[in-house]
Structure formats: structure tokens, C-alpha cells
Amino acid sequence: MAYSAITPVLLAGGSGTRLWPLSRRSYPKQFVPLTGALSLFQHTARRLSGQAVEAGRWLAFAKPLVLTNSDFRFIVTEQLAEMGIDPGAILIEPEGRNTAPAILAAALHLLRADPDAVMLVAPSDHVVPDTAAFHAAIARGLEAVRAGDLVTFGITPTHPETAYGYLELSQPARDGTPVSLQRFVEKPDAARAAAMLAQGNYLWNAGIFLVSAKALIAAFETYAPDLLAPVGAALDGAQTDLGFLRLASGPWAQAPDISIDYAVMEKARNLSVVPFAEAWSDLGGWDAVWRAGDPDAQGTVTSGTATAIDCTGSLLRSDSEHLELVGIGLDNIMVVAMNDAVLVADMSRAQDVRKAVEALQARGAAQATTFPKDHRPWGWFESLVTGPRFQVKRILVHPGASLSLQSHFHRSEHWIVVEGTARVTRDDETRLVTENESIYLPLGCRHRMENPGKVPMVLIEVQTGTYVGEDDIIRYEDVYARGQGARG
């Protein structure tokens, strides 16, 4: 029997703190290459694309629908483009209201185009190494979806984990066959987690759902009817913006802030669980990154410019090309180094990393939330040196991209091209600036930089003036349709 293509619904709007300093509010973990060259978001998008025959069933994925926020919209499109994946839709949430409103908006959107739409809701920050096994699990869940069930996926526990919620099954899982759910269980303490592991009918709650849009909306009508009006109105009032669909902010703000588990899943009587016994992780802490890594004979994982000498059961990671991290004689320690921040902690305290973020926020430290590289729709920049009346940046502009036509009240700029070629507009003049050439932009002049070439263009920008903040900008033209207060 042929099935309609499944639409992946990728949740990409969160901001994790347990993987600080690599994951920060301005650039959270789903967009970071934690387990290789690709980001977790890219791995997820690739895993849920294409088609295959699994367990004797034809399995195909439609173009993904992505839910994210305004700050991440261009990161989403850039990372999908790098994978050659064309999104079916990118819905922009005006503000975070948890997973229930977001998933309901996706279901309503899909139902308007296809009354038989089937959707696979997946966080975009999970690691699932065996794609074929996961596809087979999805295929096993399709019959339950056809019967009208809401299907979730439970991970066979490998250890008594206290950082995950659990699913209690009506009977022990066998051969990956869907099993009816008895109840959801909140994150347990260590003793309770060990007892559930021994009992054998508990799985980790992966937060992944396979449902028909129609059945899910019916569940909302029964168990969370107060979400339907504001989310429906936000979708009705949505505005198209450069290919994104911006949900209307007024009605969206009226939607309750609630997770899909609390709103619907914990109350539904037609919920089946597909057991998944292969490797999986939500990388909810540096200890999880260590477990998902490639340890040496002493159980130590190193990455980037990190070196371990006589270390056991430790994680050493340096994401700074200019910083050599060396650990000697460490045991059960995690060290994560970046250009602007270093984390050192006992591995058993992985879940307490968020406390470091809270402490830095209380001090007003930018490192708590701001990533060293500031990503923009045209590329990125990073601040190299900052003083009272100057700042030096490295700027990368993607091929064919351009910054807005702009001017500044308080600073002048000097641009030195070090890679590629820049097309520079300065008031009424436009000229090409090639490698090892520079151009001066006096205070108040209208200017724009573009990359007309086929390779990335990199330049060094030296700003001087009484104020060098990102909000010192008057924008005249912007191909990305950002507001006057937007930066870059």
C-alpha cells in the first residue's frame, strides 16, 4: 500500500544553555557542528529527506516545514541550502510559546493544503546515527497512524538517566512493534531511574511524534481547545516575508505557553509508542556529547585543537583555531574552550552548566548569550579587538550577497579586503576592491559592500569614532527587508 509523503516538521527555535559556551542564545546547539562537519539541524534535515523502502513499506518525505524564530530564519535557510534541501515552508514564531502552539500551527498549515497530511514532528538537535533503523521505526508507526493513533517514539534506555522523561508502556517492548502507552513519567531521581530501567517497560521520551494533521487537531479540540482560536488567528493573519511565513504576533501572544506533552499527549487515549533500540541522544549536556564521541583507550574524547595526556573518562574540546588546549592527568573532567570563554567542570556536574550561564547573565557578561561570530543573512562577522573609540572586525560575505545601503552617525570605517573581491558603494561612487586593497568610508557617507564573486569574500573592518555599537546605523535599502532597528 502506498502512503502519502510524510512532512517533517522541524522544531528549530529553542536556545539551550547546558552546552554553553558552544551553544548560546544567539546561536543555539541545533545550528552548531557538535558531532562532525554538519550541524545537528543539518543532520536532522538530511535524515528526514528522500525516500526508501523500509520494512516492506514505501517511505517518502516531503519538503520539510521548519518552525523557528526571526533571529534564526536566515541561519535555517543557509544551512538547508548547504544541504541542497528546499523547505516547503518556514514558519516564524513571533515569540516562544513552547511546543504545543508551534506544532498546532504546523498541523493547521498542512491540513489546509492536504486533508490527509501526515507529519513527523522532530526536534532539530537530536543525534540518531542509524538513519535506516530510524526510517524502519517510522514505517512501523505508519499503520498505527492510519488507524487514527497519535504515535510517539520511545528510546530503549542504556543507563538510569535522570535528565530525560520516560514513557511507561502497557507491556514490555518487543521487536519494535508499536505498544500502547500507559503514562508519561517526569524526570526521575537516580534511584527511581534505576528501578524503571530494571523493570523493563519504560522508555526514554524522545519528543518525536508521527501523526496525521487531522487526528492531531482533533486531539487539540478535545484536550486543549483554548489553543485553537489564537493559533488559528495567528495563521490566518500570517504575512509572507521573503519566503518566510510570519505568524501574526497579536493572536500568537494570546496562546498559552505549554508543551505538547502537557497540552495533548498526556491526556490522549489513542497514543501508541514505537520502541527504538538503536543509538540516540538529545545531547542535553556535555556528558552526552562525551558519550556520543569517539573515546580513546582511556575513555577520553578530544576534538578541535585539544590534546589529552594521561587523561581518563574526560572530554577536551577546543573550538578556537588560535588556542591549543592541553589536559594532563585529568579524570572525569570536561573542558570546552572558545575564543571568549572556557568551561571546566566535573563530568558529573554537566546538568549544572546552566548555572554558569545564570551567573554570567547576573554579571552582565556578553558571553552568557552572545556567540563570538554574529551570523547575518549575508554571512557573519566577529569582533577581533575592541577599545574605547575603535573596533576591529573580521567580516565574511557569501557569494552574491550584500549588506544594506547604510550610514553611521558616530563612526568612520576602513575596509581591507583579504580574500576575494568586494564591490563597494561609497556615496555616488561604486568600485571593486580586490585582495590587499583597502577603502576608507568617512563618517556619514552612504555605503554598501557586496560580494560579486563565486567564492566567499573576507575583509578586515577598522571602526573609529565616539560610538561603535551595532545600533549606530541608518538603513536606506536592504534586500533582506529588515527593519530600521535591525543590525548588519
Side-chain angles (χ1 to χ4, degrees), residues 38-53:
L38 301 179
S39 72
L40 299 179
F41 173 74
Q42 288 174 313
H43 277 298
T44 304
R46 183 172 67 178
R47 183 163 59 246
L48 301 178
S49 62
Q51 62 185 50
V53 176

Side-chain angles (χ1 to χ4, degrees), residues 81-402:
E82 289 174 358
M83 303 295 295
I85 295 175
D86 181 25
I90 299 176
L91 271 58
I92 306 299
E93 301 175 68
E95 59 180 295
R97 306 302 294 167
N98 217 315
T99 54
I103 294 170
L104 176 58
L108 291 170
H109 178 78
L110 292 175
L111 192 69
R112 292 179 181 184
D114 179 6
D116 297 317
V118 175
M119 51 196 281
L120 180 74
V121 180
S124 60
D125 56 359
H126 291 186
V127 173
V128 186
D130 193 335
T131 296
F134 187 59
H135 285 178
I138 294 170
R140 288 194 296 271
L142 279 174
E143 288 297 340
V145 170
R146 287 291 182 184
D149 280 1
L150 309 176
V151 173
T152 188
F153 294 80
I155 310 301
T156 302
T158 57
H159 58 279
E161 179 61 63
T162 60
Y164 299 150
Y166 285 70
L167 305 170
E168 182 181 359
L169 306 183
S170 60
Q171 59 188 11
R174 292 184 178 88
D175 303 324
T177 303
V179 180
S180 60
L181 177 71
Q182 189 74 20
R183 66 186 178 105
F184 285 79
V185 179
E186 294 293 329
K187 296 176 183 178
D189 59 24
R192 178 63 177 143
M196 290 191 295
L197 181 64
Q199 192 166 332
N201 64 323
Y202 289 87
L203 304 177
W204 290 335
N205 181 8
I208 303 171
F209 302 98
L210 180 66
V211 295
S212 74
K214 185 184 301 182
L216 184 62
I217 293 168
F220 272 95
E221 291 171 344
T222 301
Y223 303 114
D226 55 335
L227 280 162
L228 290 166
V231 174
L235 192 60
D236 290 338
Q239 299 290 321
T240 300
D241 174 14
L242 293 177
F244 306 104
L245 190 62
R246 289 182 175 272
L247 299 171
S249 59
W252 187 257
Q254 303 304 311
D257 186 332
I258 187 171
S259 72
I260 188 71
D261 284 357
Y262 284 136
V264 172
M265 297 302 174
E266 292 187 0
K267 304 170 185 175
R269 304 274 67 88
N270 60 329
L271 201 147
S272 295
V273 181
V274 174
F276 186 70
E278 305 304 319
W280 168 91
S281 177
D282 72 346
L283 295 187
W286 285 113
D287 55 340
V289 175
W290 168 72
R291 280 193 293 269
D294 184 19
D296 62 17
Q298 287 71 46
T300 291
V301 174
T302 59
S303 64
T305 55
T307 302
I309 301 173
D310 298 331
C311 296
T312 58
S314 295
L315 171 71
L316 281 73
R317 177 177 181 128
S318 172
D319 283 74
S320 171
E321 59 191 42
H322 306 297
L323 188 152
E324 290 291 339
L325 170 63
V326 180
I328 302 176
L330 302 179
D331 179 31
N332 202 45
I333 297 296
M334 53 189 191
V335 183
V336 182
M338 299 189 68
N339 287 339
D340 62 340
V342 178
L343 170 71
V344 182
D346 190 275
M347 192 78 74
S348 65
R349 303 293 298 273
Q351 296 303 309
D352 290 333
V353 171
R354 63 181 64 189
K355 295 180 180 179
V357 177
E358 294 169 358
L360 291 173
Q361 286 178 319
R363 285 178 39 209
Q367 289 91 334
T369 58
T370 304
F371 202 70
K373 285 184 179 178
D374 202 328
H375 291 261
R376 294 285 191 262
W378 41 261
W380 53 261
F381 72 81
E382 62 179 337
S383 182
L384 303 177
V385 183
T386 302
R389 294 176 62 92
F390 74 92
Q391 182 172 205
V392 180
K393 292 180 179 179
R394 178 168 61 164
I395 299 175
L396 181 144
V397 183
H398 296 308
S402 67

